[in-house]
Amino acid sequence: MDKSTRKLNGSEILIQCLLEQGVDTVFGYPGGAILNVYDKLYEHPEIRHILTAHEQGASHAADGYARSTGRVGVCFATSGPGSTNLATGVATAYMDSSPVVFITCNVNSDLIGRDSFQEVDITGVTLPITKCTYIVSNVKNLADTVREAFTVARSGRPGPVLIDIQKNATADEYDYTPTTPEEFSANGSARIARLKSTHHPAIGYPEIDIKAVETLAEMIERCEKPLLICGGGVVRSGASEEFRTLARRMDSPVAITVMGGGAFGGYDPLKTGMIGMHGSQASNMACDACDLLIAVGCRFSDRVTLNPAGFAKNAKIVHIDIDPSEIDKNIKTDLHIIGDAKEVLTLLLSKMKADKKNDGWKNYVFSFRRETEYDDPENGTLTPKQILSAAAEILPQDTMVTTDVGQHQMWAIQHFRFDYPGQLTTSGGFGTMGFGLGAAIGVQAGNPDKTVVLPYADNNASVQQFDIGNGQTVAALDLRRSLLTDYA
Amino acid sequence: MQAKENEQGLKRYTIITAMDNEAGVLSQLAHLFSRKGYNIETIAAGWTVDQNVTRFTIEIYSDEERIKLLCSQLRKLVPIHYVEILDPSKSIRRELMLVRVKAEDRASRNEIIQIGNIFRGSVVDITPDSITLSVTGDDQKTQAFEELLKEFGILDLARTGIVAIERGEM
């Protein structure tokens, strides 16, 4: 790489910084304030820009791209309404811990604070729904801010970050010196150095409490009726293999949360199905009767626990999560381990002595139903299970699924058997109607060789219908997407 | 000491935190308190030995469980350096109060100055009709001072909010 310093304008610096981070796809919608950046995009065919019909679609697409590839998604929008149109997408990514860098441009610095045309304080709007927000008013801060934003978005518990660049900073020139993410992380900004040295939760991977891991290994040794919960953290951390090994060695039934879909094998005989409000009988009966519950990368949302006081009332509850602020937030735990799921599980597996056999307990759990059963359909109509199972049979086994929100979402998670992390992209935490189509565009963009399917319910189409008729997006992607529409 | 309780039986806590000294950090901090349902009783801020770091002292009513959760949520903010809850028995809390009191005759003027002396306050301004005093102490002391001055007629009053620091190790 040519490490020499060059004088470039802000838009070129921004694009160079995206290239440093390995960005090859950007979703977005142009407008006045961000025009300089879009002008520069013409000169960089190595970055593919996918235009949606509305900023919200682009935000979900960047989110879907991030979730299905494990890379950081990037989304562009202009000032004012362009940026506020992102808000739902930002919140969706935040609630499901998806690493997306949102880049908005604002009016010129000298117009800020004057209620100028298309001016809005977008960092203020998105403050509670991002890991961090940045304002760039001077081109000299641009490069390091972009690099820091990517570092924050992808590190620790991932999440969305928003950078608001004032228009003058996209036009002014400044010295640009190329660097790599590794170099920047090692000796980049003073702030990154501080965050690293203090094991700051935003980017840090805390040192794992080995005593707690040993205690857990002993608890596993003693327990007779274990239950594992596979949460979204297993997907984000890439800990799927370790988790499957743990389940096998503990011989423990495994319940999944909405976000955990795909991290544990859909055809695995240890799988009890979803847990909680939309969960299977087997999962919920196991939760009620188990004596040790180990939840990995889940935040015990109200959809999982329902009534926290009665949740797993006979069990010792153990929580493994990377975010210290999730511990004891919704459920009081008996033991917790803060750390990256992959690291914690690897360590735990090394501390476990003998493998276990729990045939009696498994017989009890699997005497209950793992799937919703339906009454015989009347008038020759089909049940959701029949429709989705038929779809699953026709489609390639590695088909990626995105969903919108509502009943069809739960059916899809119940009846498609997700087998690998990233196979399912769904708005679990925020429950965003209109998520599915944008997400499908992003998933397809990130996984061009896969088939992407979006089961769709009637009203979802009217929430984010823009892109259905948007021939440009569909043609650009050569989308193989199929829509399964439920007009129930 | 100050471990007062409010009507809902919640205890008063003193939180100290340091953040990068840059635009927007106060609103980030304050926003977190409001979205978790807290009313900030007092907040005081100023830079430390390092001018790039601003230190806040914040007092709120809470319970032990919720305050722990709040602190771990605060620690997630990128500009935050550290967050601590101060132990009242091992810390010093002070605020500065400025108060302008009606003093239209010699007798009241004398009495106000005497009360001020007892509280180690100082007269910072005087006019034919009023006296302005400054007093430093914890909130109980400033509260007591305010009570005593009420009968003269308080024209205006301003508090800085509590700043607090840990005592040195013995």
Side-chain angles (χ1 to χ4, degrees), chain A residues 127-128 131-132 152 191 194-195 200-202 323-325 327 329 332, chain B residues 20 22 27-28 31 35 65 69 72-73 75-81:
Chain A
L127 190 67
K131 265 185 94 171
C132 193
V152 170
R191 184 186 257 179
R194 169 178 70 75
L195 294 175
H200 194 289
D323 182 352
S325 74
I327 307 298
K329 185 176 87 177
K332 266 268 177 232
Chain B
D20 289 335
E22 60 182 35
S27 70
Q28 265 192 69
H31 202 102
R35 75 181 205 253
E65 213 168 284
L69 194 61
S72 56
Q73 280 156 341
R75 286 190 191 102
K76 277 167 69 175
L77 298 178
V78 168
I80 288 254
H81 291 226

Side-chain angles (χ1 to χ4, degrees), chain B:
Chain B
M1 261 186 64
Q2 99 279 20
K4 292 186 299 194
E5 284 190 2
N6 69 1
E7 311 85 64
Q8 289 107 42
L10 297 173
K11 261 174 70 184
R12 189 167 175 125
Y13 286 91
T14 308
I15 299 172
I16 54 168
T17 177
M19 297 180 87
D20 289 335
N21 183 8
E22 60 182 35
V25 293
L26 173 61
S27 70
Q28 265 192 69
L29 184 72
H31 202 102
L32 188 79
F33 282 86
S34 67
R35 75 181 205 253
K36 299 295 168 194
Y38 285 101
N39 175 41
I40 294 175
E41 301 299 321
T42 77
I43 182 164
W47 70 68
T48 59
V49 276
D50 180 354
Q51 291 208 0
N52 298 314
V53 179
T54 301
R55 186 180 186 281
F56 294 84
T57 307
I58 304 154
E59 296 210 341
I60 54 167
Y61 286 102
S62 185
D63 57 47
E64 214 177 321
E65 213 168 284
R66 286 185 61 214
I67 192 112
K68 264 200 217 154
L69 194 61
L70 176 76
C71 288
S72 56
Q73 280 156 341
L74 281 170
R75 286 190 191 102
K76 277 167 69 175
L77 298 178
V78 168
I80 288 254
H81 291 226
Y82 61 79
V83 179
E84 276 172 43
I85 303 170
L86 283 190
D87 177 347
S89 65
K90 289 184 188 150
S91 56
I92 298 157
R93 300 165 62 252
R94 291 286 181 272
E95 70 176 343
L96 177 100
M97 185 171 85
L98 292 172
V99 53
R100 191 165 77 248
V101 195
K102 207 190 276 182
E104 288 164 338
D105 55 67
R106 187 168 296 179
S108 51
R109 205 172 292 152
N110 269 338
E111 202 173 333
I112 290 166
I113 291 171
Q114 276 180 37
I115 293 171
N117 286 341
I118 293 165
F119 280 80
R120 295 195 205 165
S122 52
V123 175
V124 288
D125 184 43
I126 192 157
T127 69
D129 306 327
S130 70
I131 296 181
T132 305
L133 295 130
S134 121
V135 66
T136 343
D138 64 18
D139 48 344
Q140 280 174 328
K141 179 177 166 185
T142 56
Q143 195 68 45
F145 190 54
E146 182 190 334
E147 285 300 319
L148 285 169
L149 295 179
K150 265 187 185 157
E151 63 169 292
F152 301 97
I154 293 177
L155 298 169
D156 200 4
L157 185 147
R159 287 188 157 88
T160 55
I162 295 281
V163 289
I165 197 164
E166 255 186 330
R167 289 177 190 276
E169 293 283 334
M170 288 290 278

Side-chain angles (χ1 to χ4, degrees), chain A residues 67 70 97 99 154 156-158 205 231-243 259 263 296-297 320-322 339-346 421:
Chain A
R67 294 186 202 204
S97 311
R154 78 162 86 84
R157 178 182 180 171
Y205 295 90
V234 181
V235 179
R236 291 286 178 277
S237 152
S240 175
E241 277 314 308
E242 290 75 6
F243 188 89
M259 296 308 299
V296 187
I320 299 172
D321 205 286
I322 192 161
D340 176 60
K342 195 179 176 80
E343 289 175 30
V344 174
L345 294 183
T346 307

Side-chain angles (χ1 to χ4, degrees), chain A residues 414-477:
Chain A
Q414 285 163 0
H415 302 307
F416 272 110
R417 303 207 165 177
F418 303 111
D419 217 30
Y420 61 90
Q423 193 178 5
L424 167 69
T425 299
T426 190
S427 170
F430 204 50
T432 307
M433 269 181 88
F435 175 76
L437 187 56
I441 293 168
V443 172
Q444 184 75 83
N447 304 271
D449 301 329
K450 295 263 172 75
T451 303
V452 182
V453 161
L454 164 64
Y456 221 39
D458 47 0
N459 200 45
N460 298 145
S462 36
V463 175
Q464 267 291 310
Q465 63 192 324
F466 318 104
D467 279 307
I468 291 183
N470 183 4
Q472 254 177 320
T473 315
V474 175
L477 281 176

